[in-house]
């Protein structure tokens, strides 16, 4: 039995137990007497609540920052009236204060300088210098190439402030990893099927569902707060939960059925489910007849796609396929086929999402209680400003005719357009980057590096010295979300609502809010008419008053709900509901896809399999972290310091790998991880795959806690399966093998 | 009155929100914790079982830590909550050794620290910080002697287990299975 809790706590109870969030430094008997019982519990102190909404992830839960008399932020608690969190923040939201206190934060503006011997370094600069430098470069690019040549990589609120700046300046050349590297295929698929996206937070009615189907979605490991809460409610309600995953995920552990599918074969399983629904007469006839287009096509299409056919492809037994299809039909229409979120896997991802949408349609699981509800968001009045100038070209033109159904910029195309040797018709010469750490959030590091080295100028805004700042000419230290005003949150939900974020403390160091940085650059470019205010609170107050509220009111309540204007959240029985598609109906046969020359109905295609001694790399989330952005947060680092590579015990035996052993990973293209990663021997992963949590293996030493902790899955993702429909970057076709010796020392030996 | 906690292992996802909420509520220094998550996996792929448990001091009825404390710093208060009076504690570590649940840690300021069931919140009618934050609502706290308390209602129709019953400590964390 362990008598002391160490870095990883091994419990005294239970077999094969692994514990998280343990940790102790040194036993300090007598070292610190007399006792210094200094700090009491925080809820006994006199604290002032200040409204905010979280920026640790994209769920943006509303909460209260609690501030003491000295002005220190002591804790953050969820807002009870917020449907995103129901008063309960997730570990990242609760630990969000670590973002504010992190001593590794960017502290002053930085400007890249060159010594006479050619070495480059960052010099601390004044805001005046840094802002002037960026504004001057923007003027220069505009004169030389036109404003469109200034591109933007953006995410979240910081990105939105720069998007406004670039639109006012004359560029719509922007892209965010959230589309082509994440949820883009889902948007294209659901639009083409139902004429509506599922949005964010996804309008899944999990709370009232009788059957939740998760295809690779790992709710509970992704802490999409209200969904985690609703899945918990579904467990209480005894809903059937069906999880399809090659890994025994947390959700799989809580499921009625776990289908341990062979990776990359999901489309075959879904088509077999569709086959069973149609040929066993289990589909929702009323909905199909009244509201869908192309039933005869799909019926003919899946004729031979039987459970027996799928068994040979997916490893899922025909009996299980039938049983789960019947469970769905029995619960219909109260079924949530969860559309997932990070869905760029194999390059045919839009088609897989289409298959899921078709499955939903056959169950009538749309617009009904317990399926997908019809969401509504508050439309925020636009603060007075001139129209944005017309652009000669925009992100769409970078696709040069490819990816017809892309609804947002494709990051990889923006990178390619930045490389002159690739001869794009429209070339990108400079970047702004805000709120996204491209080297750890995008696959194909080589492409990123070539593009970053090719462009004339890069300015980055972040709160932390993320890897992307290392490529910048100018770095802006942004204030954290706890220190700034931002746009009002207006996200879709069952009940439309808005949430306020306001500063709970003055920005630490010499950091500044994103809105201020954008405005300062805008003023220098003569764009004052787009920034007709002194403080962003004036914009918010103006908007709130138009909505019948005010800043004063919102400071007290943080979140405000409004009555729905678009009608009820469910479609009534017998209602003549018109879908926003070509045919006005739910398209089982996609007219759009047929017009663009894509398969109008999903087809299963086999994908490459791992060669001998290689294993498919599957990656995902841990509940305590948001990608690479939280790895250095002191509170969250304390919960999880590094990732591990999950290896099935059979594979571990074959390789002689032990739990906790450090290995380097090498992929099919000879890429090797910069840092070693611990092996976790576990039955929770298939023998043909390994699993890693994404976002670790930071290489910037300025991140003193996160540097070198764990390995970066992105380094192993060099093979990208591009989705021809919307430009998605399928990342699950990469295979790794283990290096038990440090490859760096091997290289030295070779040289000697 | 008998305070206790029920933890629903069918709902816990092991997210550690209870851990960080406790740390920020009780000013637990980085690197230490009063509650933690244990994950157990049993079986062979693909016939597997997975259990997450949010663990902390069991506030035992028969508490070895209180018995072995030479100064009376470890003591029990109304409702059965086991507490440590920090300025009476000499940091000898006997309680840490005696606890079968490894629930205590040496605070860098020189005393032993552990879960208090957030007695300061409970006295004000609030739930412990971990319970109030849990996104899956898998933690239920209250008075076992009150049949309508959250913990009594949670235990009513469910199977449960306690940890290390063989230690004879009469622990007061109930894990719903």
């Amino acid at each position: 039995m362990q008598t002391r809790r160490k870095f990883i706590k091994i419990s005294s109870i239970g077999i094969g137990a692994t514990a998280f969030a343990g940790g102790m430094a040194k036993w300090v008997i007598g070292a610190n007497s007399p006792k210094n019982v200094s700090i009491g519990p925080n809820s006994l102190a006199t604290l002032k609540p200040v409204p905010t909404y979280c920026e640790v992830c994209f769920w943006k839960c509303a909460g209260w920052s609690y501030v003491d008399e000295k002005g220190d932020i002591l804790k953050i608690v969820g807002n009870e009236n917020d449907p995103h969190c129901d008063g309960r923040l997730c570990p990242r939201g609760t630990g969000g204060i670590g973002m504010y206190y992190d001593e590794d934060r960017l502290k002053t503006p930085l400007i890249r300088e060159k010594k006479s011997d050619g070495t480059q370094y960052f010099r601390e600069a004044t805001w005046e210098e840094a802002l002037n430098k960026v504004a001057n470069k923007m003027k220069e690019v505009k004169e030389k190439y036109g404003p469109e040549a200034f591109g933007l990589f953006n995410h979240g609120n910081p990105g939105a402030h720069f998007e406004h700046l670039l639109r006012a300046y004359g560029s719509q050349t922007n892209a965010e990893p959230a589309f082509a590297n994440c949820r883009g295929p889902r948007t294209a698929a659901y639009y083409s099927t139902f004429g509506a996206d599922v949005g964010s937070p996804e309008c899944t009615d999990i709370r009232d569902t009788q059957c939740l189907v998760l295809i690779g979605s790992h709710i509970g490991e992704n802490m999409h707060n209200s969904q985690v809460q609703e899945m918990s409610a579904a467990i209480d309600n005894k809903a059937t939960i069906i999880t399809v995953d090659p890994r025994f995920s947390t959700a799989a552990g809580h499921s009625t059925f776990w289908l341990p599918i062979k990776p990359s074969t999901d489309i075959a399983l879904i088509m077999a489910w569709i086959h069973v629904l149609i040929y066993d007469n289990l589909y929702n006839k009323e909905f199909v007849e009244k509201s869908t287009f192309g039933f005869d096509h799909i019926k003919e299409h899946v004729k031979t796609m039987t459970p027996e056919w799928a068994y040979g492809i997916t490893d899922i037994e025909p009996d299980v396929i039938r049983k789960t299809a019947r469970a769905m039909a029995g619960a219909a229409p109260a079924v949530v086929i969860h559309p997932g979120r990070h869905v760029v896997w194999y390059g045919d991802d839009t088609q897989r999402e289409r298959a899921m949408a078709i499955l939903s349609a056959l169950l009538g699981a749309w617009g009904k209680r317990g399926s997908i509800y019809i969401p509504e968001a508050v439309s925020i009045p636009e603060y007075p400003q001139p129209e944005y100038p017309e652009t000669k070209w925009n992100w769409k033109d970078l696709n040069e005719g490819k990816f017809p159904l892309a609804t947002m910029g494709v990051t990889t195309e923006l990178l390619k357009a930045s490389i002159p040797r690739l001869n794009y018709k429209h070339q990108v010469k400079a970047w702004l980057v805000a709120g996204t750490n491209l080297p750890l959030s995008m696959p194909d590091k080589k492409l990123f590096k070539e593009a970053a080295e090719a462009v004339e100028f890069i300015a980055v805004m972040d709160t932390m010295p993320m890897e992307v700042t290392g490529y910048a000419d100018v770095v802006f230290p942004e204030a954290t979300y706890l220190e700034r005003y931002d746009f009002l949150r207006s996200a879709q939900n069952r009940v439309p609502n808005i949430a306020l974020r306001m500063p709970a403390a003055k920005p630490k160091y010499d950091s500044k809010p994103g809105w201020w940085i954008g405005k300062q650059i805008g003023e220098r470019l003569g764009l004052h008419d787009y920034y007709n205010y002194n403080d962003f609170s004036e914009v918010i107050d103006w908007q709130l008053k138009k909505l019948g509220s005010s800043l004063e009111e919102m400071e007290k309540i943080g979140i405000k709900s409004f009555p729905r204007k678009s009608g009820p959240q469910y479609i009534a029985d017998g209602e003549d509901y018109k879908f926003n598609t070509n045919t006005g109906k739910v398209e089982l046969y996609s007219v759009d896809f047929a017009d663009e020359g894509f398969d109008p109905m999903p087809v299963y295609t086999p994908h490459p399999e791992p060669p001998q001694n290689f294993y498919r790399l599957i990656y995902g989330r841990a509940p305590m972290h948001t990608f690479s952005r939280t790895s250095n947060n002191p509170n969250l680092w304390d919960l999880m310091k590094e990732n591990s590579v999950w290896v099935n015990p059979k594979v571990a035996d074959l390789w002689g790998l032990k739990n906790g052993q450090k290995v380097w990973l090498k992929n099919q293209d000879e890429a090797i991880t910069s840092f070693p990663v611990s092996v976790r021997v576990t039955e929770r992963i298939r023998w043909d795959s390994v699993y890693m949590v994404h976002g670790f293996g930071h290489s910037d030493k300025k991140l003193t806690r996160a540097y070198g902790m764990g390995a970066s899955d992105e380094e192993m993702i060099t093979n990208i399966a591009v989705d021809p429909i919307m430009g998605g970057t399928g990342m699950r076709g990469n295979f790794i093998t283990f290096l038990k010796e440090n490859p760096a020392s091997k290289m030295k030996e070779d040289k000697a | 009155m008998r305070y206790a906690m029920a933890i629903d292992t069918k709902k816990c996802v092991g997210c550690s929100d209870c851990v960080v909420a406790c740390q920020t509520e009780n000013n637990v220094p980085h690197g230490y914790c009063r509650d933690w998550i244990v994950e157990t996996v049993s079986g062979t792929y693909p016939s597997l079982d997975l259990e997450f448990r949010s663990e902390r001091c069991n506030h035992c009825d028969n508490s070895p830590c209180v018995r072995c404390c030479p100064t009376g710093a470890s003591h029990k208060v109304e409702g059965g909550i086991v507490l440590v009076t920090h300025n009476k504690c000499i940091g000898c570590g006997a309680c840490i050794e005696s606890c079968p649940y490894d629930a205590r840690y040496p605070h860098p300021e020189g005393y032993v620290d552990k879960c208090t069931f957030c007695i300061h919140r409970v006295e004000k009618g609030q739930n412990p910080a971990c319970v109030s934050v849990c996104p899956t609502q898998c933690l239920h706290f209250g008075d076992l002697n009150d049949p309508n308390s959250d913990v009594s209602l949670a235990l009513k129709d469910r199977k449960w287990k306690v940890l290390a019953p063989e230690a004879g400590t009469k622990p007061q964390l109930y894990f719903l299975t």
Side-chain angles (χ1 to χ4, degrees):
Chain A
M1 191 178 80
Q2 296 282 315
T3 52
R4 304 186 304 177
R5 202 170 312 126
K6 292 202 173 144
F7 168 58
I8 296 245
K9 181 187 161 87
I10 305 300
S11 167
S12 55
I13 301 123
I15 302 156
T18 323
F20 304 110
M24 56 160 288
K26 281 191 184 78
W27 184 214
V28 284
I29 304 172
N32 289 304
S33 53
K35 313 295 169 302
N36 174 13
V37 183
S38 49
I39 321 167
N42 281 332
S43 55
L44 290 185
T46 314
L47 302 175
K48 184 181 148 220
V50 181
T52 188
Y53 62 86
C54 191
E55 184 86 15
V56 187
C57 93
F58 42 73
W59 215 253
K60 302 189 193 305
C61 299
W64 301 100
S65 317
Y66 282 90
V67 185
D68 70 4
E69 287 122 338
K70 285 186 293 178
D72 287 332
I73 305 172
L74 295 191
K75 59 188 290 182
I76 311 170
V77 174
N79 187 320
E80 296 208 333
N81 296 316
D82 182 26
H84 294 226
C85 73
D86 202 21
R88 292 159 184 262
L89 294 179
C90 82
R92 299 161 304 153
T94 309
I97 46 168
M99 210 160 151
Y100 168 69
Y101 285 108
D102 196 328
E103 69 285 3
D104 291 339
R105 277 174 63 172
L106 290 168
K107 297 182 177 76
T108 67
L110 301 171
I111 291 181
R112 179 183 296 265
E113 296 287 359
K114 229 182 208 173
K115 284 187 197 159
S116 50
D117 67 355
T119 52
Q120 300 184 7
Y121 65 100
F122 278 127
R123 167 174 70 81
E124 291 186 1
T126 63
W127 276 100
E128 194 63 24
E129 274 179 289
L131 293 162
N132 285 341
K133 195 164 170 100
V134 174
N136 288 339
K137 190 69 201 184
M138 288 177 77
K139 283 182 201 160
E140 185 194 320
V141 166
K142 190 172 191 168
E143 276 161 28
K144 261 166 85 180
Y145 311 106
E148 297 85 357
F150 220 110
L152 166 67
F153 291 96
N154 58 309
H155 187 90
N157 263 294
H161 291 298
F162 273 12
E163 202 176 339
H164 170 67
L165 171 67
L166 275 207
R167 291 288 306 269
Y169 162 79
S171 166
Q172 277 192 74
T173 312
N174 63 309
E176 51 182 288
F179 183 74
N181 313 122
C182 195
R183 59 188 160 78
R186 171 183 101 173
T187 304
Y190 280 78
Y191 261 122
S192 67
T193 313
F194 290 103
D197 191 9
V198 289
S200 178
E202 289 89 13
C203 43
T204 48
D205 210 8
I206 299 173
R207 186 174 72 188
D208 288 324
T209 197
Q210 290 173 36
C211 180
L212 171 63
V213 183
L214 302 174
I215 301 170
S217 273
H218 54 354
I219 296 182
E221 286 161 290
N222 71 43
M223 278 313 278
H224 301 167
N225 196 336
S226 43
Q227 286 193 358
V228 176
Q229 299 197 23
E230 292 195 19
M231 186 171 84
S232 203
I235 293 169
D236 274 342
N237 297 341
K238 310 241 176 320
T240 302
I241 303 180
I242 300 167
T243 298
V244 180
D245 203 314
R247 185 176 64 96
F248 192 55
S249 62
T250 298
H254 288 328
S255 292
T256 328
F257 297 95
W258 170 42
L259 280 55
I261 193 164
K262 179 173 168 178
S264 82
T265 65
D266 308 80
I267 292 181
L269 170 69
I270 304 164
M271 298 315 281
W273 272 336
I274 292 173
H275 174 98
V276 175
L277 290 183
I278 294 176
Y279 287 92
D280 288 4
N281 235 349
L282 298 167
Y283 65 98
N284 186 325
K285 284 161 208 78
E286 194 194 325
F287 184 82
V288 164
E289 268 159 42
K290 190 177 163 73
S291 306
T292 68
F293 169 80
F295 179 73
D296 294 338
H297 284 98
I298 191 87
K299 185 174 180 179
E300 184 59 27
H301 181 68
V302 299
K303 196 170 179 181
T304 57
M305 299 178 188
T306 62
E308 285 71 19
W309 163 80
Y311 178 35
I313 297 167
T314 61
D315 286 1
I316 307 298
E317 289 175 15
D319 171 49
V320 175
I321 298 176
R322 289 204 170 83
K323 208 188 277 176
T324 43
R326 269 183 226 119
M328 289 178 224
V335 183
V336 174
I337 308 294
H338 197 289
R341 187 147 181 142
H342 177 86
V343 293
V344 284
W345 302 348
Y346 304 108
D348 54 2
D349 307 300
T350 307
Q351 292 289 8
R352 184 184 64 254
E353 290 286 319
R354 268 273 297 154
M356 290 155 72
I358 294 167
L359 180 65
S360 303
L362 292 173
L363 293 160
W366 189 271
K368 290 287 176 189
R369 183 179 292 276
S371 65
I372 302 284
Y373 65 81
I374 298 161
E376 190 178 316
V378 175
S379 164
I380 304 281
E382 203 175 296
Y383 189 73
Q385 66 169 51
E387 291 280 311
Y388 289 124
E390 290 284 321
T391 60
K392 290 203 186 75
W393 52 274
N394 63 30
W395 60 264
K396 189 119 201 162
D397 296 294
L398 297 180
N399 296 347
E400 303 196 330
K402 293 170 291 184
F403 321 132
L405 298 182
T407 49
M408 287 169 82
V410 175
T411 39
T412 34
E413 294 306 315
L414 185 45
L415 290 182
K416 286 178 185 164
S418 306
I419 301 173
R421 123 186 122 73
L422 297 177
N423 250 332
Y424 270 51
K425 183 176 169 210
H426 301 291
Q427 301 207 354
V428 177
K429 299 294 181 186
W431 302 345
L432 291 177
V433 181
T436 177
N437 186 23
L438 297 171
L440 269 79
S441 60
M442 286 195 54
D444 198 349
K445 255 190 132 175
K446 268 190 197 153
L447 175 69
F448 170 76
K449 271 185 97 170
E450 188 180 354
E453 280 158 15
V455 284
E456 293 177 10
F457 186 81
I458 302 177
V460 175
M461 175 170 77
D462 211 315
T463 66
M464 295 296 298
M466 292 297 180
E467 283 73 5
V468 67
T469 59
Y471 293 90
D473 297 283
V474 175
V475 178
F476 292 127
E478 196 194 14
T480 66
Y481 71 104
L482 298 168
E483 304 158 303
R484 65 185 197 225
Y485 281 107
D486 257 319
F487 295 100
L488 287 166
R489 185 197 80 186
S490 164
Q492 63 172 30
N493 219 293
R494 295 174 175 102
V495 176
N497 63 79
I498 52 170
L500 172 69
R501 173 186 292 163
M502 65 181 289
K506 285 211 178 87
K508 264 188 190 281
Y509 314 113
D510 199 9
S511 65
K512 299 281 186 188
W515 69 261
W516 183 89
I517 299 168
K519 174 174 160 68
Q520 290 298 317
I521 300 170
E523 298 283 2
R524 281 165 175 75
L525 295 172
L527 302 172
H528 174 76
D529 289 351
Y530 294 91
Y531 292 97
N532 202 0
Y533 47 84
N534 291 311
D535 191 274
F536 202 66
S537 59
E538 295 163 38
V539 176
I540 297 171
D541 193 39
W542 185 91
Q543 291 173 324
L544 286 169
K545 284 186 174 137
K546 287 267 170 192
L547 289 167
S549 178
S550 66
L551 192 53
E552 199 189 347
E553 184 194 36
M554 287 299 285
E555 283 175 10
K556 292 187 197 111
I557 56 178
I559 175 147
K560 191 178 172 81
S561 296
F562 294 82
R564 285 179 70 101
K565 288 180 181 163
S566 65
Q569 69 191 48
Y570 301 122
I571 302 170
D573 289 337
E575 184 182 337
D576 201 12
Y577 190 87
K578 194 167 180 331
F579 290 87
N580 184 29
T581 56
N582 297 298
T583 55
K585 296 194 171 211
V586 178
E587 296 196 357
L588 306 175
Y589 176 98
S590 170
V591 175
D592 268 349
F593 282 26
D595 284 352
E596 299 289 353
F598 302 120
D599 291 326
M601 289 169 296
V603 175
Y604 165 73
T605 34
H607 295 290
E609 293 190 24
Q612 201 176 0
N613 294 332
F614 280 78
Y615 306 88
R616 186 183 299 275
L617 174 64
I618 303 175
Y619 53 83
R621 308 280 307 276
M624 318 75 178
H625 283 290
T626 303
F627 317 134
S628 69
R629 76 160 75 170
T630 54
S631 330
N632 204 66
N633 174 320
N635 295 74
L636 303 178
W637 185 82
D638 210 24
L639 299 177
M640 182 180 178
K641 297 175 174 62
E642 59 184 332
N643 59 355
S644 57
V645 57
W646 296 23
V647 178
N648 183 280
K650 288 188 180 73
V651 177
D653 270 356
L654 208 65
W655 285 80
L657 296 175
K658 300 271 175 293
N659 226 357
Q661 181 176 347
K662 294 276 185 190
V663 294
W664 285 257
L665 306 178
K666 184 174 85 168
N667 81 353
Q668 74 285 340
D669 296 329
E670 303 281 322
I672 297 173
T673 54
S674 302
F675 302 103
V677 60
S678 293
V679 169
R680 181 188 177 192
V681 180
T682 176
E683 292 283 357
R684 292 180 63 188
I685 185 75
R686 267 175 75 104
W687 49 85
D688 54 6
S689 306
V690 295
Y691 175 75
M692 281 165 85
V693 170
H694 167 73
F696 290 87
H698 279 279
S699 57
D700 197 320
K701 285 188 176 161
K702 293 193 280 293
L703 300 165
T704 55
R705 271 175 295 273
Y707 171 77
M709 298 297 277
S712 163
D713 55 319
E714 292 294 348
E715 287 185 324
M716 295 293 93
I717 300 172
T718 53
N719 177 42
I720 296 159
V722 178
D723 191 323
I725 300 176
M726 48 55 69
T729 55
M731 301 192 245
R732 298 236 165 123
N734 289 274
F735 310 113
I736 65 96
T737 191
F738 309 104
L739 303 177
K740 291 160 84 175
E741 308 278 327
N742 186 345
S745 54
K746 174 85 170 63
M747 268 154 62
K748 270 183 210 153
E749 269 171 41
D750 288 351
K751 267 190 194 163
Chain B
M1 196 156 59
R2 174 67 249 195
Y3 287 121
M5 194 180 285
I7 297 106
D8 192 340
T9 65
K10 294 286 175 210
K11 288 165 71 177
C12 179
V13 295
C15 73
S16 305
D17 204 2
C18 46
V19 180
V20 66
C22 171
Q23 288 169 327
T24 59
E25 168 64 22
N26 294 301
N27 288 302
V28 178
H30 290 315
Y32 301 87
C33 57
R34 290 180 175 186
D35 55 352
W36 60 94
I37 300 290
V38 174
E39 172 195 327
T40 61
V41 186
S42 50
T44 307
Y45 194 100
S47 301
L48 292 169
D49 273 312
L50 176 63
E51 183 177 280
F52 285 106
R53 293 192 304 269
S54 168
E55 295 189 4
R56 57 187 59 56
C57 171
N58 278 262
H59 297 277
C60 304
D61 259 356
N62 180 17
S63 37
C65 52
V66 172
R67 279 203 313 277
C68 75
C69 177
T71 67
S74 280
H75 64 289
K76 213 182 265 197
V77 296
E78 204 199 340
I81 298 181
V82 176
L83 297 177
V84 181
T85 308
H86 292 163
N87 51 21
K88 267 190 174 178
C89 173
I90 55 169
C92 72
C95 55
I96 295 180
E97 294 296 327
S98 78
C99 176
Y101 307 102
D102 199 10
R104 293 169 165 243
Y105 73 93
H107 194 286
E109 288 176 354
Y111 51 83
V112 169
D113 192 39
K114 62 176 271 300
C115 164
T116 62
F117 267 165
C118 280
I119 188 167
H120 61 284
R121 291 172 58 94
V122 174
E123 280 168 351
K124 290 199 289 181
Q126 298 171 328
N127 267 321
C130 55
V131 177
S132 73
V133 79
C134 176
T136 65
Q137 303 202 32
C138 75
L139 304 177
H140 305 271
F141 178 80
D143 177 7
L144 277 183
N145 295 337
D146 172 3
N148 292 315
S149 69
D150 282 352
V151 68
S152 299
L153 292 173
L155 287 166
K156 207 173 145 201
D157 300 313
R158 291 282 297 273
K159 281 192 194 143
W160 51 262
K161 66 179 178 188
V162 294
L163 301 179
E166 67 281 3
T169 57
K170 299 190 181 156
Q172 298 301 315
L173 294 191
Y174 297 87
F175 293 89
L176 305 176
T177 57

